Amino acid sequence: MVDIGGATDDGYAVGDPALTTFIFVAAFCVVAVLVYMARYSGRVRVEQTRLIDAPLDVVYARVVDLGQWQQWNPWMEPGKGAALTLSDRTDQRGSTCIWTSETMGSGMVEHVRVVASQRIEQRLRLKHPFTVSGRSFWTFSVRSGKTEVTWNVRGRVAFSMRAFSSTVKSSLALDCRYGLDQLASLTEPDSAPRYSIAHLGVRDIAAQRYVYSSYQGPISGLSQAMASALTELRQVLTAHGLEAAGMPMAIYFKTNIKLRTTVCHIGIPIDGALASADLPVRELAAHRAYVVRLQGSPQALEIAWYLAMQRMVADKIQPDQRIPPCECYLVSDGGRVGNDSVTELHLPVLPPR
């Protein structure tokens, strides 16, 4: 009789019931994961439209010429210094633009159909940080003396990312919106609403005491609530003979991006030594934070937060979730109007080991 027994590297004997059970459980888990992933189609569709105060031919030229994409392409900006490869001709069918970044991944766009000043169809492939392959469609038209641009992206995420397709969709929507905003800033008059986002890096943030009003509700309602809350808080400070020790801020304790709701404090810093016992006062502990400065339209705050978190991931900066992030309104009391508004975003990070 031939002995077919033996032991595996894990210590199981061939034919051992325990080994059979292990294999069965492992196979079941693999099948379960595949079945779960198969529930999601992986299709992603995003459409963003922007009315740009510039002639159609000027806007169209910035898009059809792939050689100009580096000036506004949303997938090149976060990594900075991406390696760029262009085809010999950059403004016709078959033209390609390929970019590669060590921190932000790579991408490729290729013109597959060009209808002058009307429509551009492209093949698109992204690895940023997820993999998406599909098509990109641009349409251009004149409306009220301005150029209406629509950017439509249709693709499919990698099989392993299917369960996160909604997250990918949200990210792509912000990417397209940011790209159109950048395109507008390059072509519109200097007086048009615009913004710039500067990454200031990790900084030490001093402890602050602040008097506050609580807000819980939709993000869309925060701006109006903030204006009312700041007026009331200033009245409270005046009634107590106190003065603000800094610019207004919003401290975010919980934000649901999918539902677009938030729980936060709307606060005004005060001198700790002057704090009165009957005032609603909290303290934000001293910490280190990744700081991003937004100058201009406050409507871009969502994009600023998005780019800040992207850069932290790219630079492998670990967030400190024990401390809430905040917005500090350095100019214009919350930065609600004007290109001169300045808002800083503070994203707490773990101290160095």
Side-chain angles (χ1 to χ4, degrees), residues 46-351:
V46 169
E47 181 175 291
Q48 293 289 321
T49 297
R50 180 72 148 79
L51 194 62
I52 299 178
D53 187 9
L56 187 149
D57 58 340
V58 173
V59 178
Y60 173 80
R62 291 277 186 175
V63 179
V64 74
D65 183 1
L66 297 179
Q68 299 190 50
W69 271 51
Q70 192 171 24
Q71 300 174 36
W72 59 266
N73 184 337
W75 299 299
M76 292 186 195
E77 195 278 340
K80 295 291 186 184
L84 187 67
T85 303
L86 297 168
S87 56
D88 292 336
R89 287 291 302 270
T90 57
D91 59 357
Q92 61 184 11
R93 178 181 177 182
S95 297
T96 58
C97 173
I98 301 172
W99 61 93
T100 304
S101 167
E102 293 183 0
T103 57
M104 298 305 298
S106 61
M108 183 279 292
V109 61
E110 176 187 1
H111 288 335
V112 296
R113 186 176 179 228
V114 176
V115 181
S117 300
Q118 297 181 38
R119 182 178 177 87
I120 302 172
E121 298 181 14
Q122 302 167 321
R123 183 176 293 110
L124 184 67
R125 184 173 65 248
L126 301 173
K127 293 183 179 179
H128 175 71
F130 36 76
T131 299
V132 178
S133 297
R135 294 290 180 115
S136 175
F137 304 87
W138 294 82
T139 57
F140 306 83
S141 61
V142 177
R143 183 161 69 87
S144 302
K146 301 179 181 180
T147 301
E148 185 175 77
V149 185
T150 297
W151 190 3
N152 188 306
V153 175
R154 302 177 186 177
R156 187 185 292 271
V157 300
F159 182 81
S160 60
M161 290 291 294
R162 282 190 176 186
F164 306 98
S165 57
S166 61
T167 300
V168 175
K169 179 180 178 180
S170 297
S171 296
L172 278 177
L174 287 171
D175 285 336
C176 291
R177 178 181 159 193
Y178 180 56
L180 289 174
D181 286 348
Q182 294 296 97
L183 185 62
S185 70
L186 292 171
T187 55
E188 291 186 325
D190 291 341
S191 58
R194 67 184 68 241
Y195 62 87
S196 62
I197 297 172
H199 296 263
L200 305 183
V202 177
R203 295 187 173 184
D204 291 320
I205 307 299
Q208 283 187 309
R209 300 196 76 189
Y210 61 91
V211 58
Y212 69 92
S213 174
S214 297
Y215 176 82
Q216 180 174 351
I219 296 175
S220 60
L222 179 58
S223 178
Q224 183 176 356
M226 183 171 297
S228 176
L230 291 178
T231 297
E232 293 178 3
L233 288 174
R234 289 191 178 96
Q235 292 174 349
V236 169
L237 290 179
T238 299
H240 285 77
L242 302 176
E243 294 184 358
M247 299 304 292
M249 56 186 183
I251 301 93
Y252 293 95
F253 296 96
K254 184 177 181 181
T255 300
N256 189 314
I257 299 299
K258 186 175 182 179
L259 298 178
R260 303 193 63 75
T261 60
T262 189
V263 177
C264 69
H265 283 169
I266 300 167
I268 297 178
I270 60 174
D271 188 331
L274 297 177
S276 175
D278 60 341
L279 288 177
V281 175
R282 288 283 292 271
E283 180 170 318
L284 188 63
H287 61 281
R288 289 170 60 83
Y290 185 77
V291 180
V292 170
R293 179 171 292 176
L294 168 68
Q295 176 159 354
S297 174
Q299 294 181 355
L301 277 169
E302 184 177 14
I303 290 176
W305 280 106
Y306 172 63
L307 294 179
M309 289 184 285
Q310 272 194 320
R311 181 64 66 84
M312 287 180 65
V313 172
D315 293 346
K316 299 180 180 179
I317 300 174
Q318 297 297 318
D320 188 346
Q321 299 182 355
R322 299 170 300 177
I323 301 175
C326 71
E327 293 171 355
C328 299
Y329 308 111
L330 306 185
V331 176
S332 192
D333 288 350
R336 299 299 133 191
V337 293
N339 290 339
D340 294 329
S341 299
V342 179
T343 306
E344 277 191 359
L345 314 184
H346 294 179
L347 291 80
V349 302
L350 292 174

